[in-house]
Amino acid sequence: MSLKKLLHTFLVLLLCLLQNYNYSLFAQEKVIMPFSTPETEILVEPLLSQMTMDEKIAQITGTRIRELMLDGKISLEKCREVIPNGIGHFCQFSTGQALPPEDLRDLVREVQHFLMTETRMKIPAIFHEEAITGFATLSATTFPQQIGMGCSWNPELVKNNTQSTRQNMRAAGATFALSPMLDLSRTAHWNRHQESYGEDAYLTSRLGVAFVNGLQGDDLKTGVAATVKHFAGYGTKNNDTKTLYEEYLMPHEACIKIAGAKSVMPSYGVYKSLPISVNPTMLDRMLRRELEFDGLVVSDYGAIPMVHKKYKQSPDMMTAGAMAINAGVDIELSSPTTFPFLAEAIDKGLVTEEIINIAVRRSLTMKARLGLLDKDPVIGTDGDLDFDPPAFRKLAYEAACQSIVLLKNNGILPLKKEIKKIALVGPNAATVQGLLGDYTYQAMRAFWKGEQFDPLNPKLISLKEGLENSLGTSVELKHERGCDWSASLEAVIDKDGFGDSRLGKLKLLTVQGLPQPDLQNAIKISNESDIIIAAVGENISLNGEGRSRKGIGLPGEQEEFVEKLLATGKPVILIIFGGRQQVIDKLEGRCAAIINAWFPGEEGGNAIADILTGKVNPSAKLCVTYPNTQDRVEVNYQNGYSLSNMPLYPFGFGLSYTNYEYSDFKISSKTKTNSDRFTVSMTVKNTGEIDGQEIVQLYVSPTENNSTMKAIQLKGFQRVALKSGEKKKVVFKISPQQLVQYKNNQWIVENGTYEFKVGASSTDIRLKGQIEMQGENLILEKGRQIFFSESQVE
């Protein structure tokens, strides 16, 4: 290497180190490496300089593994026909199959062998998959859906879950995930509500950062690249600039700046009337220039063709592809539909080869970062593979326990020893359909493929089985479905919605093999029992991308069914499964207890049963507001709740079998807008007779009537484990920069007085105090760098 090149490499490394050093001071987390480094450039640039245009376009497109298969096996002839120039990505490669772990790994190795031996450039592909609830493949651990994990308020648990996902994906040869989903969801009517971490930007950001850290690990050569999606403001109105910057961008920005996410997926939505897939304002200005994202942008499946077919914003597919790559989309997924026209688009002056080279360079850089361009890349793990070992099942159980929210309890829970006969009724009582969220392997096989899944691989624990495990033989448990989910399944396919282009070809899952529900027998066993456990709610065909319901109450005739159970006069414990809050305002006052289980994953039945019997003390808190009407409106606790329209349960609410007392609140009376951090502390005591975990929540409110800050905002939280009678001190260290607002196209921390509040929910405020921010208003010239408070338990 020449002296000039050595000097250049040294300067680049020095600049990287300086940038990373300054960045780490503000980011509160690990040092974030630039996407492209001198090490990756050495691997990427020689390849790029040798590639033909066809080979370049191959690296910025994805395809399905099925395109290479004949009679269920990889066909060399198909490989030579479909991917003669290589390929960038194989899309949803494991959910498209039904293969045991070793066979899946061997399939990946077979395809990679072809690419590395028979194509001219010998470049492996990225195999990517969904990972929102674990690696979406046959036999892998299935965790609770994200909305349930949002209710755990436990970043460490989220990180542990995705570490297990990383291990499974790497073992199969997968290196890239289309997760996590970071959209804020403020209406339960949205069919993708279940994939979100709820309505709050701070909570979503904390959990999103934990998700990415666990999945990617310390080095992408052994980790799995996370894709943060959907950029930005999907599923909501995103045209209010202040809300967009302060809230909808925050989870993406935090994952990029703190966790080092290097892949972003734009949404199917629009911004300022232009589809985001071709929107340079959002992808170039906001994402790359303002957020300083330097990684890879991948399209959502079929999103670029929608620019022509759905939105009518381009005259043809070629122009749609040119618009997307010009705007900043690097990879077209899930099939090469518009990008193959880019060579022709160059001739027509719609795009330049330089723009295409930028996208190809990013695609190759991602492969280099993942170790795929190494001399002998590691593809999968040798030997027998177990995707659901006991340690992972234990994680799934803990995750379910911490995601299940106790909403009401008149004292009937935990179940008393006097209870000898239990009637277990309802459509989700003895089936596994209510355990599974969208984009689990099982849900994708059932809904997207129209195929039955194996409930034994991994083993799915129904509520009935969980109760049998937890109760033993001392209690008589009688079961009858009593009613179905919905006679007509109550949902329709959104053929022209924002979902994938595949949706028009798909049909709803029809549950087969179940006996007809017997209402009279359900009433009979209920009358003969001490208590009734009614397992109601949704299943995978009633909730998920592309599935729309008419409302958000209990589906079908389930509300009438519960009314009949209440009429027996026996105590009814209502357990609600599903991916959204389901309005129960007519039932709530008469139920003895109410539990929201969400889609709790493979160990859901055991977790619910252990909460019912008191083996587990519930600790989850709502990550969403629980509405009391089915009105199609967005609800955000930050705006404050109207006295005339209070929710059934507020954001942050959740009951325990014990009680917690808050005391000794301390806060500084004043600080500077440019100071480092100030401290808020308090003491929490478990005053009950049962050990438990309390989620202490820290909020801030403006004190001035003319403030443009939202009425109340989450700025910190801490799980605290407390034995009966034990007390602990909780300390939050808050940066004034957490009070930043986006106003007049700049980030500003305003001086003035702010009120900090500590509570058990957004409305159950136990302690509060004020602090004055003194000095000049602080302008953050480089935007947000500090996102979270620091906390500790003493």
Side-chain angles (χ1 to χ4, degrees):
M1 185 181 290
S2 68
L3 180 62
K4 183 177 180 181
K5 287 186 176 179
L6 279 171
L7 181 60
H8 171 73
T9 300
F10 172 76
L11 289 173
V12 170
L13 282 170
L14 180 61
L15 179 61
C16 291
L17 287 170
L18 289 173
Q19 288 175 335
N20 289 337
Y21 174 75
N22 290 331
Y23 187 77
S24 66
L25 290 176
F26 293 100
Q28 305 166 233
E29 291 281 340
K30 60 188 180 185
V31 171
I32 306 304
M33 289 293 294
F35 184 52
S36 178
T37 66
E39 291 79 9
T40 62
E41 289 174 11
I42 289 171
L43 298 172
V44 169
E45 294 305 323
L47 292 173
L48 182 60
S49 66
Q50 299 175 51
M51 296 173 78
T52 66
M53 182 55 64
D54 287 342
E55 289 167 338
K56 290 177 180 179
I57 290 174
Q59 289 302 316
I60 56 175
T61 55
T63 192
R64 302 275 190 169
I65 202 80
R66 63 174 179 244
E67 302 297 329
L68 310 181
M69 302 186 82
L70 193 64
D71 298 326
K73 297 188 179 298
I74 295 296
S75 162
L76 279 178
E77 289 73 22
K78 286 271 191 180
C79 290
R80 292 164 183 151
E81 174 190 342
V82 177
I83 53 171
N85 299 304
I87 195 70
H89 284 239
F90 282 104
C91 306
Q92 290 180 344
F93 78 103
S94 59
T95 49
Q97 318 301 315
L99 295 177
E102 296 85 2
D103 292 350
L104 185 69
R105 174 203 60 205
D106 293 347
L107 177 143
V108 172
R109 286 177 167 177
E110 186 177 359
V111 174
Q112 297 286 42
H113 179 74
F114 167 82
L115 290 169
M116 291 187 290
T117 57
E118 292 209 23
T119 63
R120 190 178 75 90
M121 298 307 299
K122 306 187 186 311
I123 301 172
I126 287 174
F127 281 74
H128 76 231
E129 193 46 85
E130 308 291 341
I132 194 170
T133 56
F135 181 22
T137 193
L138 179 67
S139 79
T141 304
T142 306
F143 294 105
Q145 185 56 287
Q146 270 200 187
I147 195 166
M149 292 310 301
C151 294
S152 77
W153 296 57
N154 192 338
E156 191 63 28
L157 182 58
V158 170
K159 182 180 179 181
N160 290 340
N161 289 353
T162 55
Q163 283 175 337
S164 75
T165 302
R166 179 216 313 169
Q167 182 176 322
N168 280 346
M169 293 186 74
R170 272 288 178 172
T175 55
F176 195 98
L178 301 185
S179 305
M181 199 266 242
L182 300 176
D183 303 301
L184 306 185
S185 185
R186 289 166 172 171
T187 172
H189 289 275
W190 189 33
N191 54 28
R192 301 195 70 170
H193 184 69
Q194 60 166 292
E195 296 175 60
S196 79
Y197 282 129
E199 69 191 56
D200 183 70
Y202 184 96
L203 179 59
T204 297
S205 299
R206 281 284 308 275
L207 299 181
V209 165
F211 189 111
V212 174
N213 278 334
L215 192 65
Q216 296 194 158
D218 296 326
D219 184 352
L220 280 179
K221 285 197 175 186
T222 55
V224 171
T227 300
V228 295
K229 64 182 186 184
H230 306 84
F231 196 83
Y234 188 35
T236 187
K237 297 174 182 177
N238 62 2
N239 282 341
D240 179 76
T241 302
K242 191 172 189 296
T243 303
L244 172 64
Y245 273 82
E246 289 181 12
E247 300 176 44
Y248 301 141
L249 291 181
M250 181 179 173
H252 303 277
E253 186 177 1
C255 285
I256 291 166
K257 291 183 175 180
I258 297 177
K262 296 298 183 183
S263 175
V264 169
M265 177 184 284
S267 87
Y268 288 120
V270 300
Y271 177 65
K272 303 294 186 184
S273 303
L274 187 64
I276 293 175
S277 293
V278 294
N279 197 313
T281 301
M282 186 159 277
L283 298 184
D284 182 49
R285 193 190 83 192
M286 292 183 190
L287 179 61
R288 293 212 180 270
R289 285 188 274 157
E290 296 178 353
L291 270 60
E292 299 182 338
F293 176 70
D294 62 351
L296 189 71
V297 175
V298 302
S299 83
D300 208 338
Y301 287 9
I304 303 175
M306 283 185 185
V307 175
H308 169 63
K309 294 168 65 176
K310 175 181 172 61
Y311 292 109
K312 313 298 182 187
Q313 294 286 329
S314 68
D316 49 42
M317 291 294 188
M318 176 180 62
T319 306
M323 291 171 69
I325 200 168
N326 282 326
V329 175
D330 300 308
I331 308 282
E332 180 181 19
L333 305 177
S334 62
S335 60
T337 307
T338 68
F339 275 19
F341 294 110
L342 289 177
E344 183 182 348
I346 294 175
D347 296 336
K348 293 185 178 296
L350 298 176
V351 69
T352 66
E353 186 168 1
E354 181 183 6
I355 293 293
I356 293 173
N357 285 346
I358 290 172
V360 177
R361 184 176 286 110
R362 289 179 184 141
S363 176
L364 294 175
T365 299
M366 178 60 78
K367 292 185 176 185
R369 290 291 301 273
L370 293 169
L372 293 173
L373 300 188
D374 289 354
K375 183 178 180 181
D376 296 305
V378 177
I379 309 295
T381 302
D382 292 339
D384 296 336
L385 303 178
D386 185 353
F387 283 171
D388 190 36
F392 292 3
R393 284 203 74 96
K394 182 181 179 183
L395 269 178
Y397 171 78
E398 291 173 354
C401 289
Q402 293 191 26
S403 70
I404 295 164
V405 188
L406 178 62
L407 295 174
K408 180 180 180 181
N409 183 19
N410 69 358
I412 197 168
L413 295 178
L415 296 175
K416 309 299 185 290
K417 293 181 179 179
E418 299 77 54
I419 300 295
K420 297 301 180 184
K421 294 183 178 181
I422 297 176
L424 176 62
V425 297
N428 283 319
T431 69
V432 298
Q433 308 293 342
L435 303 178
L436 305 163
D438 200 11
Y439 285 106
T440 56
Y441 170 79
Q442 299 91 337
M444 293 181 75
R445 295 301 294 181
F447 182 76
W448 302 92
K449 301 293 182 183
E451 298 178 6
Q452 290 287 355
F453 57 83
D454 183 357
L456 301 178
N457 195 15
K459 169 69 172 164
L460 303 173
I461 308 295
S462 69
L463 176 57
K464 180 174 181 289
E465 184 173 352
L467 281 169
E468 290 168 345
N469 293 338
S470 192
L471 292 170
T473 58
S474 61
V475 178
E476 183 180 3
L477 184 69
K478 290 188 176 181
H479 165 252
E480 168 59 54
R481 289 177 67 206
C483 77
D484 212 333
W485 287 279
S486 176
S488 62
L489 291 181
E490 201 191 322
V492 294
I493 295 289
D494 297 332
K495 292 184 179 180
D496 61 349
F498 290 139
D500 296 346
S501 59
R502 300 169 287 170
L503 293 176
K505 303 175 183 178
L506 302 172
K507 58 183 179 180
L508 289 172
L509 172 70
T510 300
V511 179
Q512 299 174 345
L514 293 176
Q516 287 296 314
D518 188 333
L519 173 61
Q520 295 308 313
N521 189 43
I523 300 301
K524 177 178 179 293
I525 66 171
S526 295
N527 276 312
E528 296 170 350
S529 298
D530 299 321
I531 63 165
I532 304 166
I533 297 176
V536 298
E538 298 175 323
N539 60 25
I540 54 179
S541 65
L542 289 166
N543 194 315
E545 182 175 17
R547 281 145 277 185
S548 291
R549 285 182 51 204
K550 297 175 183 178
I552 55 172
L554 294 178
E557 299 178 351
Q558 292 185 52
E559 185 171 319
E560 292 85 346
F561 175 63
V562 177
E563 289 280 5
K564 291 181 173 65
L565 300 176
L566 290 167
T568 65
K570 298 299 177 73
V572 174
I573 299 170
L574 193 67
I575 301 178
I576 307 170
F577 293 80
R580 55 166 63 92
Q581 313 92 293
Q582 293 160 75
V583 176
I584 51 170
D585 57 308
K586 295 178 182 178
L587 305 173
E588 195 267 352
R590 291 171 289 155
C591 291
I594 301 173
I595 288 175
N596 199 315
W598 308 107
F599 288 128
E602 66 181 39
E603 281 286 320
N606 282 332
I608 300 168
D610 285 352
I611 287 174
L612 290 171
T613 57
K615 295 177 182 177
V616 170
N617 188 355
S619 60
K621 305 270 191 175
L622 289 173
C623 63
V624 288
T625 298
Y626 206 110
N628 61 7
T629 75
Q630 296 192 50
D631 295 345
R632 288 183 174 270
V633 295
E634 288 197 353
V635 179
N636 179 5
Y637 82 94
Q638 294 182 348
N639 297 321
Y641 299 127
S642 164
L643 291 176
S644 61
N645 187 28
M646 289 293 289
L648 198 60
Y649 306 107
F651 174 85
F653 176 83
L655 297 177
S656 168
Y657 292 152
T658 189
N659 297 305
Y660 302 99
E661 178 183 272
Y662 291 62
S663 63
D664 300 328
F665 183 86
K666 294 180 181 178
I667 186 173
S668 303
S669 62
K670 56 188 176 182
T671 190
K672 299 285 188 181
T673 55
N674 63 354
S675 65
D676 183 17
R677 289 180 181 270
F678 59 93
T679 299
V680 172
S681 66
M682 77 294 305
T683 298
V684 184
K685 181 179 181 180
N686 181 347
T687 59
E689 298 179 356
I690 300 175
D691 298 348
Q693 294 186 43
E694 172 70 326
I695 300 171
V696 177
Q697 301 164 40
L698 176 71
Y699 295 92
V700 67
S701 294
T703 61
E704 299 170 9
N705 293 333
N706 62 350
S707 175
T708 54
M709 179 181 280
K710 292 287 181 66
I712 183 170
Q713 293 182 339
L714 183 70
K715 293 300 176 185
F717 59 88
Q718 177 65 53
R719 267 186 171 267
V720 187
L722 293 163
K723 297 184 181 300
S724 173
E726 185 180 18
K727 64 180 179 180
K728 292 180 180 178
K729 182 180 180 180
V730 181
V731 179
F732 291 99
K733 295 181 180 179
I734 303 118
S735 168
Q737 293 189 34
Q738 291 178 246
L739 306 178
V740 71
Q741 297 184 68
Y742 191 77
K743 302 173 68 171
N744 301 319
N745 298 319
Q746 62 182 0
W747 291 100
I748 181 170
V749 179
E750 296 182 333
N751 57 28
T753 302
Y754 298 84
E755 186 168 62
F756 280 84
K757 307 171 179 180
V758 175
S761 81
S762 61
T763 61
D764 184 8
I765 302 300
R766 306 291 181 87
L767 304 167
K768 57 187 177 181
Q770 295 185 357
I771 185 171
E772 182 184 358
M773 294 288 167
Q774 298 180 332
E776 297 294 326
N777 290 344
L778 177 66
I779 307 298
L780 302 183
E781 300 290 351
K782 295 184 178 180
R784 279 184 293 206
Q785 303 296 335
I786 298 178
F787 295 84
F788 308 137
S789 60
E790 298 172 353
S791 59
Q792 63 189 53
V793 180
E794 299 175 354

